[in-house]
Amino acid sequence: METKILSGRELSKKILENSRKKIKEFEKKGLRNPSLAVILVGDDPASEIYVARKHEACKEVGINSLDIRLPANTSFEEIREKIKMLNEDENVDGILLQLPLPRSLREKTLELIRIINPEKDVDGFTPFNFGSMAIGIEGAIMPCTVKGILELLRYYDINVEGKDCVVIGASNIAGKPLANVLINLFATVTVCHIKTRCLSKHTKHADIVISATGVPHLIKREMVKEGAVVIDVGITRVNGKVVGDVDFESMIGHASAITPVPGGVGPLTIAMLIENTIDCYTRRNVTGK
Ligand code: NAD
């Protein structure tokens, strides 16, 4: 069987180009450029790389990005005040709190997310946006990774309606929102996680397998039925190399389609962040410079 490689890089380039054009139009109308505040607490190396990519993409399309760095020992109250300030700032259209937070703050993650003004919640993580997405409100701000996966499926003409989809990983940022959206698209969805007893029992029968665990090479050829579509969300660094959740090589000639890591879901997540920022900006009816 020929395995189609679902390139997120190719599609993300088109999306970014389109975003750049939209922003040029705002500029022509004399409007100020959209702006995104990215808060990074601590110095987690992976987060540093993700945040750098987000700033690069903003620069590429003409979004003003604010690089807000806070030391790992910043208190909950200080971060809360920072978010509140950004909520009030008329010149800020989007607010992103880079996750995960340092260990000492991790249990406060949801509390901090809830403080973000839903109108500036470019990640779609606030209860308002998450809820709107889950109940299928059209135009709800959707988490970037989920939106990116949908764009990818659409671009490559992969329809999920009526399909058996298995989502592996049930985090608030990937697995859970993805499962909700797939249900709204009439897929039959099974969600697996760390306590799932026999992962392959579920994955073996799926038409579409989407893995978002961060466990390198968790998903192997024998766990997936021939002809299935495999979407790999995982990004982990092993011996300096970026790998996904899926044993990519073993899927060639077995899966009908697969996303590579890197170059699959990752670039689309960034492209969707740009789209969400433009969306938030547009909804705020920015006038003048
Ligand atoms: P997380 O640690 O919050 O959640 C991991 C999930 O995987 C949990 O639900 C856990 O129960 C499940 N899990 C862990 N080990 C498992 C196992 N052995 N079997 C079955 N389920 C298991 O992680 P996250 O923030 O959701 O991220 C997951 C991965 O996706 C990471 O590698 C992250 O870097 C990557 N990620 C990539 C993008 C992207 O743009 N491509 C975006 C977000 C996250």
Side-chain angles (χ1 to χ4, degrees):
M1 160 165 305
E2 198 194 324
T3 304
K4 190 166 186 55
I5 307 299
L6 309 174
S7 167
R9 212 165 262 156
E10 179 189 310
L11 176 56
S12 72
K13 273 191 192 144
K14 293 185 187 188
I15 295 168
L16 290 178
E17 181 55 30
N18 197 29
S19 298
R20 208 177 59 80
K21 283 185 188 150
K22 277 190 199 163
I23 293 175
K24 280 259 172 286
E25 286 304 311
F26 302 145
E27 288 171 355
K28 273 190 207 155
K29 287 183 188 159
L31 302 175
R32 71 159 170 80
N33 290 44
S35 76
L36 171 67
V38 181
I39 307 171
L40 175 59
V41 188
D43 50 10
D44 173 63
S47 293
E48 297 258 8
I49 296 173
Y50 297 145
V51 163
R53 288 211 189 112
K54 290 171 185 177
H55 287 298
E56 265 167 42
C58 283
K59 199 168 167 205
E60 197 179 321
V61 300
I63 290 175
N64 291 327
S65 63
L66 310 175
D67 189 1
I68 300 169
R69 304 271 170 149
L70 301 172
N73 62 0
T74 309
S75 68
F76 165 78
E77 289 75 18
E78 283 170 297
I79 304 172
R80 182 184 62 195
E81 289 319 302
K82 186 50 120 184
I83 295 174
K84 283 185 174 170
M85 228 177 69
L86 295 167
N87 280 345
E88 296 302 317
D89 190 334
E90 275 306 310
N91 289 317
V92 170
D93 305 301
I95 303 170
L96 183 159
L97 179 62
Q98 182 65 34
L99 302 179
L101 292 171
R103 285 203 183 282
S104 58
L105 284 160
R106 212 157 287 174
E107 63 179 28
K108 297 282 189 187
T109 302
L110 291 179
E111 235 177 294
L112 286 168
I113 294 289
R114 286 174 66 129
I115 297 166
I116 297 173
N117 175 355
E119 290 174 6
K120 298 188 179 189
D121 169 28
V122 286
D123 263 333
F125 291 163
T126 59
F128 178 84
N129 287 323
F130 194 108
S132 301
M133 174 207 63
I135 61 174
I137 291 180
E138 207 170 316
I141 300 173
M142 208 182 267
C144 305
T145 303
V146 175
K147 197 171 167 182
I149 292 170
L150 294 191
E151 284 291 328
L152 188 78
L153 293 173
R154 208 172 293 139
Y155 183 70
Y156 285 103
D157 228 0
I158 298 168
N159 192 357
V160 303
E161 190 178 299
K163 302 271 173 66
D164 289 331
C165 294
V166 171
V167 176
I168 307 139
S171 71
N172 289 336
I173 70 163
K176 267 187 220 160
L178 182 61
N180 278 283
V181 165
L182 290 172
I183 292 168
N184 291 340
L185 293 172
F186 293 99
T188 302
V189 183
T190 303
V191 182
C192 301
H193 44 70
I194 188 80
K195 300 286 183 188
T196 298
R197 264 179 282 167
C198 181
L199 195 53
S200 63
K201 189 180 108 192
H202 302 279
T203 54
K204 256 184 188 162
H205 301 288
D207 302 307
I208 303 178
V209 174
I210 308 181
S211 188
T213 68
V215 181
H217 297 170
L218 175 69
I219 311 299
K220 302 188 190 329
R221 182 184 181 110
E222 61 274 17
M223 295 169 71
V224 172
K225 88 173 170 191
E226 190 173 1
V229 172
V230 180
I231 307 290
D232 192 350
V233 182
I235 303 178
T236 315
R237 210 162 265 275
V238 178
N239 301 328
K241 199 172 161 233
V242 173
V243 298
D245 287 1
V246 178
D247 182 359
F248 182 86
E249 297 303 331
S250 78
M251 294 293 171
I252 302 299
H254 181 69
S256 60
I258 186 167
T259 56
V261 176
V265 176
L268 283 172
T269 298
I270 305 266
M272 293 304 118
L273 170 66
I274 298 299
E275 276 204 346
N276 281 355
T277 305
I278 295 176
D279 245 23
C280 288
Y281 167 90
T282 311
R283 290 177 201 203
R284 295 183 65 243
N285 286 323
V286 172
T287 52
K289 286 271 180 197

